[in-house]
Amino acid sequence: MSLKTNPTDRIQRVKQRFDNETIGRTVHILALAVVATIMIGPFLYMFAVSLMKPGTVQQLPPKFIPSNPVKWGLHNYERVLTNFNFTRFLLNSLLVTSIVTVFNLFFDTLAGYVFAKLEFPGRKVLFMTILATLMIPSQITIVPLYILMDALGFINTYIGLTVPFAASAFGIFLMKQFIETIPSDLERAAMVDGCSRFEVFYKVIVPLSKPAMATLGIFTFIGTWNSFLWPLLIAQDQSMYTLEVALAQFQGRFEQDLTALMTGMTLTSIPVIILFVSLQKYYVQGIKLSGIKA
Amino acid sequence: MLLPDILIFSAFVFLPVVYAFWLSFHEAYFFSSQFQWVGLAHYNDILFHPLAEAAGIVVEEGPVAAYEFLTDPLRHPFLASLKNNVYFGLLSIPGSVIAGLGLALLVNTQLKGIKYIRTVYFLPVVTSMIVVALVFNFIYNPTYGLLNWLLTTTGILNDGVIWLADYPILAIVAMTIWKGAGYNMLLYLAALQGLPTEVYKAARIDGAGRIARFKNITWPLLKPTTLFIVVMTTIGSFKVFTQVYVMTEGGPGFKSTVAVYYIYEKAFGEYLMGEASAMSFVLFGIIFVVTVINMRYLNTDVEY
């Protein structure tokens, strides 16, 4: 190709490029839409079924659009919220998740501060030991933990559901990484002004650590809300079921009443989805932090 | 100030691990107060004996016969369950990498509203495994499920398939890949956005096309991220539980019984805590070895 080209050729080439770009962009947007459909389809399906009249689910083709709007509606939600003890499970889930989240925010931030800012013998070893626990699959500890909880009489109690998860290695690591970036001069100034160590912690460190705490909070909340194996073992009475356990345990019973099951599932997912969408920024930060090479 | 954390970790992590180790040398039936010391018997039963016998079979009948002997669910249910984990891993590792990278390349643009698309792609990650598994139970349903209906109306299949009975592992893996794709997408996206633009410019000037640029620049530079995802997916495939519990209960037969599900059955179905603990440690050993091997490769830094 020579460098000297006549203008009409150039116009042709620009046009050609423009066309290619438009085609490329259209294909791109189409691909995005198709994948979005695949990613969100199951959720829409779940939601659609939750609005159907019981007994119309087993129809083919599956109906996403109501043929008879009168038959559709929120009556399943009414049914589920009044008949199935659903509010009790919801409260259990909320209570357990809130307690675990608050515990973690407090203990992990405190430990993160100590590991980040205080010098004491054995600091490194202790921190490494705590990090090493991340390698241990929870399945190993679940059998002895269960025996322990049984011996202590914590089966079917909120203590058994929450206390074992009051601190997490991931949380301590996250908070330590963040608190290390806070300049030590601020603490020294506070110390000079006569603050105790603990006062420094909650007057200086905690206010400055809010973004990291938001990340930790949302991570812990979503993780606990969705946890299953432990609550399944501990909550043996129906009155102690969390939403996750209730859904799994009732799935057989709902074989004939899928609309109720899908309604329960929709209600279970809504809090997490709302939380995630509103605090997305902090959640994504957490992933980027955990995805770095340790 | 550290005391509460140390207490929590000691009580709920360190102590249980030590206790589990102690249990694995005992015949520990949950409802009897007396646990009997049996030494290495559990480890022998689930690991050493079968391996020793298999070694003999290799010599006599060849490796295939030995493999079949080892993974026979009637003789060695735990090893057979591990085989299911390996299948799970072999399917989910490439699947997760491809799905994650594919989505990342798709959303790595400046288009308007791409933020919302990324959020949508990420929704399965934050939704609970139980909910997702129950929805997919419904999608996979042979008579009124969405998937069979889609495949038969578009003419891809003539008759519906009983997914969870005929291909349980495949069906569960497909769902798991779908659920985790958004997470892997984010990891890849972060890596893609950190790539040096000069290299691409240089490649363009050299006349490298899209595919050549991807093959020779993007893919090699993404290696650390890929390795990270491979490690996480490998570990994850040995820890699978919830999906199996909800969707197949390990069935049909032994087809989808994975290690953790088998341990769960042993411990909380048959109350054989000692055996279950020994199996947990074998599983931990496997995960540990896999992790260490991967970590050695993980520290290969890319140079440009």
Side-chain angles (χ1 to χ4, degrees), chain A residues 85-212:
Chain A
N85 239 345
F86 187 87
T87 37
R88 171 83 205 201
F89 308 142
L90 181 68
L91 283 175
N92 282 342
S93 272
L94 271 176
L95 190 68
V96 168
T97 308
S98 311
I99 293 173
V100 171
T101 307
V102 170
F103 270 160
N104 266 287
L105 283 176
F106 180 74
F107 289 131
D108 296 354
T109 311
L110 195 58
Y113 168 57
V114 174
F115 282 124
K117 294 290 186 186
L118 303 188
E119 289 289 346
F120 59 93
R123 185 178 75 151
K124 262 214 155 76
V125 176
L126 201 59
F127 183 67
M128 277 304 169
T129 318
I130 288 180
L131 265 194
T133 61
L134 281 174
M135 295 254 319
I136 303 169
S138 57
Q139 287 86 8
I140 284 202
T141 54
I142 231 149
V143 170
L145 208 49
Y146 180 81
I147 296 176
L148 210 73
M149 288 289 155
D150 187 63
L152 296 170
F154 288 154
I155 304 284
N156 273 324
T157 61
Y158 290 113
I159 294 179
L161 284 169
T162 54
V163 174
F165 306 101
S168 80
F170 167 75
I172 293 173
F173 175 71
L174 189 84
M175 294 316 295
K176 173 186 173 276
Q177 297 297 83
F178 186 85
I179 293 170
E180 272 177 346
T181 64
I182 297 173
S184 295
D185 298 351
L186 294 168
E187 291 162 70
R188 282 194 210 107
M191 290 288 230
V192 170
D193 290 344
C195 285
S196 70
R197 265 280 164 221
F198 203 79
E199 276 177 323
V200 170
F201 171 71
Y202 74 75
K203 283 184 178 161
V204 178
I205 300 291
V206 169
L208 289 170
S209 304
K210 284 226 166 90

Side-chain angles (χ1 to χ4, degrees), chain A residues 28 32 35 38-39 43 57-58 60-61 107 135 137 139-140 143-144 226 244 251 258 265 272 276 280 293, chain B residues 1 4-5 16 103 106 109 119 121-122 126-128 130 135 137-138 143-144 149 178 260 273 284 288 301:
Chain A
H28 195 151
L32 279 169
V35 176
I38 293 171
M39 294 319 269
F43 294 112
V57 178
Q58 279 90 332
L60 283 173
F107 289 131
M135 295 254 319
Q139 287 86 8
I140 284 202
V143 170
N226 292 342
E244 299 298 308
Q251 91 181 86
L258 277 167
M265 283 153 54
V272 172
F276 166 68
Q280 207 176 345
K293 280 190 262 179
Chain B
M1 279 166 93
D5 288 85
L103 293 193
L106 262 186
T109 76
T119 308
Y121 288 3
F122 202 82
V126 291
T127 317
S128 83
I130 298 277
V135 176
N137 257 355
F138 195 48
T143 43
Y144 49 81
W149 176 77
W178 172 86
V260 176
M273 300 293 184
F284 175 55
F288 187 79
D301 271 325

Side-chain angles (χ1 to χ4, degrees), chain B:
Chain B
M1 279 166 93
L2 261 185
L3 205 62
D5 288 85
I6 294 175
L7 276 178
I8 292 164
F9 270 90
S10 308
F12 303 117
V13 183
F14 302 128
L15 181 72
V17 169
V18 174
Y19 190 23
F21 197 59
W22 182 84
L23 276 175
S24 70
F25 295 101
H26 289 74
E27 193 62 74
Y29 183 63
F30 183 68
F31 295 110
S32 77
S33 50
Q34 290 299 313
F35 292 169
Q36 267 188 319
W37 172 264
V38 292
L40 284 170
H42 291 316
Y43 291 97
N44 267 333
D45 290 346
I46 56 182
L47 199 63
F48 305 142
H49 271 304
L51 286 178
E53 268 190 81
I57 295 175
V58 170
V59 175
E60 283 171 23
E61 302 172 50
V64 176
Y67 169 79
E68 276 177 2
F69 164 81
L70 274 180
T71 55
D72 175 3
L74 294 171
R75 284 204 189 112
H76 315 114
F78 181 64
L79 295 177
S81 74
L82 280 174
K83 181 189 77 172
N84 288 337
N85 283 105
V86 172
Y87 280 173
F88 195 98
L90 289 177
L91 288 168
S92 66
I93 292 164
S96 300
V97 168
I98 292 167
L101 184 55
L103 293 193
L105 291 171
L106 262 186
V107 300
N108 189 20
T109 76
Q110 302 295 325
L111 283 172
K112 254 192 205 144
I114 197 72
K115 263 189 8 215
Y116 304 107
I117 295 277
R118 285 175 197 164
T119 308
V120 163
Y121 288 3
F122 202 82
L123 280 187
V125 178
V126 291
T127 317
S128 83
M129 188 55 94
I130 298 277
V131 167
V132 168
L134 287 169
V135 176
F136 271 78
N137 257 355
F138 195 48
I139 289 173
Y140 286 138
N141 185 295
T143 43
Y144 49 81
L146 193 62
L147 184 63
N148 273 349
W149 176 77
L150 276 175
L151 291 174
T152 47
T153 45
T154 50
I156 296 172
L157 289 176
N158 289 331
D159 322 302
V161 176
I162 313 171
W163 293 100
L164 288 170
D166 295 346
Y167 310 103
I169 298 258
L170 183 67
I172 294 173
V173 166
M175 181 211 86
T176 310
I177 292 171
W178 172 86
K179 191 179 185 306
Y183 180 83
N184 298 329
M185 168 191 86
L186 271 194
L187 293 176
Y188 270 128
L189 188 65
L192 281 173
Q193 290 174 342
L195 293 180
T197 46
E198 301 86 11
V199 184
Y200 284 92
K201 280 188 191 141
R204 265 196 185 182
I205 290 164
D206 289 345
R210 238 169 226 261
I211 294 167
R213 286 204 301 267
F214 176 81
K215 208 181 82 183
N216 298 316
I217 307 173
T218 314
W219 180 244
L221 288 185
L222 288 177
K223 209 170 173 184
T225 313
T226 306
L227 280 168
F228 181 76
I229 290 171
V230 167
V231 175
M232 298 310 279
T233 315
T234 313
I235 295 172
S237 62
F238 279 105
K239 288 181 168 183
V240 184
F241 171 77
T242 309
Q243 302 95 303
V244 172
Y245 180 93
V246 173
M247 293 170 87
T248 62
E249 293 184 341
F254 209 81
K255 251 183 171 170
S256 64
T257 302
V258 285
V260 176
Y261 187 79
Y262 188 68
I263 292 171
Y264 168 85
E265 285 278 295
K266 267 275 177 270
F268 302 103
E270 303 175 43
Y271 294 106
L272 298 169
M273 300 293 184
E275 239 175 293
S277 296
M279 287 171 198
S280 303
F281 271 97
V282 173
L283 183 66
F284 175 55
I286 293 169
I287 292 175
F288 187 79
V289 168
V290 168
T291 311
V292 168
I293 290 173
N294 279 314
M295 286 295 171
R296 293 199 55 165
Y297 287 102
L298 253 183
N299 291 331
T300 51
D301 271 325
V302 188
E303 287 177 28
Y304 22 91

